[in-house]
Amino acid sequence: MKEELLHYAWRTRQYDPLQLFTIDKQPVQVIHPGRYNQDAGPDFLEAKIKIGDTLWVGHVEIHVLASDWIKHLHANDPKYQNVILHVVYDADADAAVSGRDPLPTLELKEQLAPDMMIRYDQLMDNSAWIPCQPFLDQVDAIIWTAWLERIVIERLERKTLEIQRMLEACHWDWDSVFYQLFAAHLGMQVNKEAFLELTRRTPLTTLLKYRDNLFQLEAVLFGQAGMLSGDFQDDYPLRLQKEYAYQQKKLGLMPMSAHYWNFLRLRPSNFPTVRIAQLARIIHTTEHLFSKILAAESIREVNSLFSHAANQYWASHYQFDKPSPNQKMKRLGSQLIQNLIINVLVPFLFLYGKVKGLTRYQDKALDWLQALPAEQNTIITHWNMIRPKAENALQSQALLQLKKQHCDAKRCAHCGVGHHLLKQKQTEA
């Protein structure tokens, strides 16, 4: 028996409500099981329980063995002073709060359905790619789709935690934080931290002074990135170098070291030099970028904001002084724009709507995910082998969350699909 299964049974009321009695034979009526607590303290908070003729409001603590109360030193812990009911699988000892009579104890050993416990053990003992893989054919498409729609909200809530922390540190300057994370994701995973360092050393307020002059923007960004300290042959980097030296002295700028940047095992179009040039062009061409994202009504409008190419020099270069035989204007690719929408724009819209109480932005965030094609990676490929293919980015984002946060940790008792399977009768299997 695992405590997680007891939490699940209590939370979802998997017991006969007419057969609940404390170990001293007082009837128990669960009016509200309480709010599930994932932090320190009792397992369920603010429950409403009628024990005998008395209505109690307080916390519920759950253990496999009643003696775990003593083992975990709850008796003298202030966080447990308001516990009103001890729910256990096996009442092998009395539990008490310091200065009070023994706690009312509810034993569930005879209350839990054998089918539920069998299925839970099957899920926990299964070594397949996901615990419920052998049973997925028992899950209707309606249940599956509804759970994906719910789990994608969980993923967005998790993604927005970083944004919220950054906003709090920046006094809720949405434009500056958007600039930081947009730049970070331009660098993809390999150069994300380097771009974040660049944005810390070069705030948006500094760059906006040069918004009308693309060359000065490029000089400041490349200089701050530590990329203008060499001996160049081409006229373009020589001019950037001269301009940055002037701006550095004027503003007291502190550049990064060039060793921050990673060029290895990257396609040339993803080199940080190209990405910095593209970032400069976006800042130059799009005033109040975050406001324009908020105002955009479609993915097509978003794409148009990022359609401008880096300056002409980069059409024939991927690095300074190293001409490329292939002439190509350096625009953001469709795949990169999709990644930016999924990982930056959508979480920002969702959080903005939540903070401002404007649900239309949260709805728009979900609409954009539904409008984008499903992502392609090893996790989604594996999902597509065992379930109908993900139809859009909303579903692929949900599947990533499901695999990483639920299936890998075997949190089946917290999963909508797991709940469906746990409450099934074995004769239905």
Side-chain angles (χ1 to χ4, degrees):
M1 171 55 60
K2 292 187 177 181
E3 195 170 292
E4 181 190 51
L5 184 58
L6 291 177
H7 288 179
Y8 167 78
W10 179 257
R11 188 176 72 245
T12 59
R13 302 177 186 249
Q14 300 296 314
Y15 47 71
D16 184 347
L18 300 179
Q19 297 298 320
L20 296 182
F21 296 90
T22 63
I23 58 175
D24 59 355
K25 307 304 181 184
Q26 293 189 76
V28 175
Q29 181 184 355
V30 181
I31 298 170
H32 191 283
R35 174 170 51 85
Y36 187 50
N37 177 29
Q38 301 188 58
D39 298 318
D43 295 310
F44 290 85
L45 308 178
E46 301 164 4
K48 286 186 178 181
I49 313 289
K50 190 175 183 181
I51 303 173
D53 296 325
T54 304
L55 177 63
W56 295 86
V57 178
H59 310 324
V60 173
E61 178 67 3
I62 293 180
H63 288 122
V64 174
L65 300 175
S67 56
D68 288 340
W69 178 275
I70 302 168
K71 182 179 177 181
H72 297 164
L73 305 177
H74 292 331
N76 297 308
D77 189 331
K79 292 190 292 289
Y80 293 83
Q81 292 298 304
N82 292 325
V83 170
I84 58 173
L85 181 66
H86 194 205
V87 178
V88 302
Y89 179 73
D90 186 353
D92 66 336
D94 287 335
V97 175
S98 180
R100 287 169 49 186
D101 294 332
L103 282 172
T105 299
L106 172 65
E107 184 181 74
L108 291 181
K109 183 188 295 185
E110 304 300 326
Q111 289 292 320
L112 301 182
D115 287 343
M116 180 183 68
M117 292 190 287
I118 291 170
R119 176 52 55 85
Y120 183 78
D121 287 340
Q122 290 173 336
L123 292 171
M124 293 301 103
D125 294 340
N126 187 15
S127 60
W129 189 68
I130 58 172
C132 64
Q133 190 166 331
F135 316 111
L136 280 179
D137 59 348
Q138 301 165 28
V139 181
D140 295 338
I142 293 176
I143 293 171
W144 180 257
T145 302
W147 179 240
L148 293 187
E149 290 174 354
R150 180 174 172 182
I151 207 75
V152 78
I153 302 297
E154 178 183 294
R155 183 166 179 82
L156 285 171
E157 295 282 4
R158 184 179 65 81
K159 280 188 169 187
T160 55
L161 289 176
E162 178 189 9
I163 301 174
Q164 189 162 339
R165 285 193 294 267
M166 293 176 69
L167 284 165
E168 289 169 352
C170 291
H171 307 290
W172 294 91
D173 185 341
W174 291 88
D175 292 298
S176 291
V177 175
F178 183 81
Y179 151 69
Q180 291 177 46
L181 287 182
F182 183 86
H185 282 272
L186 269 183
M188 304 186 300
Q189 196 60 40
V190 68
N191 280 308
K192 180 178 180 180
E193 290 304 318
F195 266 102
L196 279 174
E197 180 63 21
L198 176 59
T199 62
R200 284 191 284 264
R201 290 173 181 259
T202 321
L204 181 62
T205 51
T206 297
L207 294 178
L208 291 179
K209 298 175 183 177
Y210 306 102
R211 199 188 72 80
D212 294 332
N213 189 315
L214 177 61
F215 179 75
Q216 288 182 327
L217 271 175
E218 292 171 331
V220 170
L221 282 170
F222 280 118
Q224 286 293 88
M227 295 181 180
L228 296 178
S229 58
D231 296 323
F232 300 113
Q233 301 299 317
D234 289 352
D235 178 64
Y236 171 65
L238 285 170
R239 290 191 300 113
L240 287 175
Q241 193 177 53
K242 183 178 179 181
E243 178 65 27
Y244 176 68
Y246 171 75
Q247 298 297 341
Q248 182 184 18
K249 184 176 181 180
K250 176 182 174 182
L251 300 177
L253 299 173
M254 295 292 292
M256 298 166 57
S257 171
H259 80 268
Y260 274 90
W261 301 99
N262 195 335
F263 288 81
L264 295 176
R265 292 182 293 278
L266 282 176
R267 293 179 179 178
S269 59
N270 293 328
F271 279 1
T273 42
V274 175
R275 295 294 183 227
I276 289 172
Q278 291 167 331
L279 177 61
R281 174 65 79 174
I282 290 169
I283 294 171
H284 174 63
T285 56
T286 310
E287 187 175 8
H288 304 305
L289 178 58
F290 181 60
S291 295
K292 285 185 167 56
I293 298 298
L294 291 176
E297 294 298 333
S298 67
I299 297 296
R300 179 177 296 180
E301 286 185 51
V302 172
N303 287 334
S304 69
L305 295 175
F306 306 134
S307 62
H308 303 283
N311 80 42
Q312 188 65 40
Y313 179 83
W314 297 104
S316 57
H317 291 77
Y318 292 97
Q319 293 178 274
F320 294 121
D321 284 350
K322 295 181 180 180
S324 168
N326 300 317
Q327 299 281 322
K328 182 181 180 181
M329 297 301 291
K330 303 300 190 302
R331 292 181 171 84
L332 298 186
S334 59
Q335 187 62 56
L336 177 59
I337 293 175
Q338 178 175 334
N339 289 339
L340 288 167
I341 293 172
I342 291 172
N343 295 304
V344 183
L345 275 61
V346 163
F348 262 90
L349 278 176
F350 189 84
L351 181 61
Y352 186 84
K354 179 181 177 181
V355 170
K356 301 293 184 179
L358 300 171
T359 56
R360 67 179 182 274
Y361 292 111
Q362 293 176 295
D363 292 339
K364 181 158 64 173
L366 297 174
D367 289 343
W368 285 6
L369 284 179
Q370 285 188 310
L372 290 170
E375 298 147 280
Q376 298 299 318
N377 53 52
T378 55
I379 292 178
I380 300 305
T381 298
H382 209 133
W383 273 117
N384 289 342
M385 293 168 59
I386 60 177
R387 286 294 302 183
K389 287 187 176 182
E391 298 177 359
N392 49 53
L394 186 147
Q395 291 191 355
S396 61
Q397 281 285 291
L399 290 171
L400 291 173
Q401 178 74 5
L402 186 57
K403 171 62 175 169
K404 293 179 180 179
Q405 303 299 322
H406 289 265
C407 301
D408 287 352
K410 293 197 170 184
R411 299 183 71 244
C412 304
H414 299 271
C415 171
V417 174
H419 173 59
H420 175 74
L421 294 171
L422 286 169
K423 69 180 184 179
Q424 278 185 335
K425 300 292 185 184
Q426 289 297 296
T427 53
E428 298 175 16

